[in-house]
Amino acid sequence: MTRFVRVWKNGDAAEVDGRVHVSMNDYLVHRFRDVPRVARAGMRFRRAWPETEGALGLWFAATGDGRRQISVSVWREPDDLLSFVHSPGHRRIMRDFRDAGMLINTTWAAERLDRRLIWRQAEKRLTGLLFDVPHH
């Protein structure tokens, strides 16, 4: 089974009762030389995460060689994610790294903000245990 090194960062939103929206980006970096710059860009987002409107939390994860970099973000609702995706910083990252790798995005609703449950759901998607979900 693929192993992922991961770190969690809390967002700005208070605890919520009920369903949350989850977004997972599975990014495969084409060239090893690009791994450090992709990781640095991701860590810049991570540092600013507590100020991100509607963000409940975020994992950054990677495989041992760093070529596969993953973010799993948890949001109050889909509109919060949509606002983030349309932000200038996110659009810039997407433009700057468009050709450095291949991105697969998956979203789903989780019944509640339970970090253990959500990471298990993400791992099933990342390791191919859910056959209808693409992954690297």
Side-chain angles (χ1 to χ4, degrees), residues 26-30 97-104 135-136:
D26 186 357
Y27 190 71
L28 182 64
V29 181
H30 294 312
F97 293 97
R98 179 178 302 137
D99 297 326
M102 182 180 154
L103 175 66
I104 296 172
H135 61 90
H136 293 293

Side-chain angles (χ1 to χ4, degrees), residues 17-110:
D17 290 326
R19 295 171 74 85
V20 296
H21 187 69
V22 182
S23 175
M24 182 172 69
N25 293 303
D26 186 357
Y27 190 71
L28 182 64
V29 181
H30 294 312
R31 296 174 300 273
F32 281 109
R33 71 174 188 226
D34 288 330
V35 167
R37 75 183 186 100
V38 171
R40 278 192 304 274
M43 294 310 283
R44 279 193 299 274
F45 269 129
R46 184 179 184 276
R47 277 193 299 276
W49 205 249
E51 291 82 40
T52 303
E53 180 68 29
L56 299 172
L58 168 75
W59 279 282
F60 270 115
T63 54
D65 66 3
R67 280 193 58 222
R68 190 171 173 200
Q69 297 190 21
I70 297 112
S71 68
V72 179
S73 55
V74 184
W75 302 88
R76 284 185 309 221
E77 56 189 62
D79 285 344
D80 293 320
L81 170 61
L82 192 59
S83 293
F84 172 72
V85 166
H86 286 54
S87 70
H90 187 265
R91 288 196 323 259
R92 185 175 42 256
I93 288 286
M94 296 304 290
R95 182 192 63 234
D96 291 351
F97 293 97
R98 179 178 302 137
D99 297 326
M102 182 180 154
L103 175 66
I104 296 172
N105 177 266
T106 306
T107 62
W108 69 92

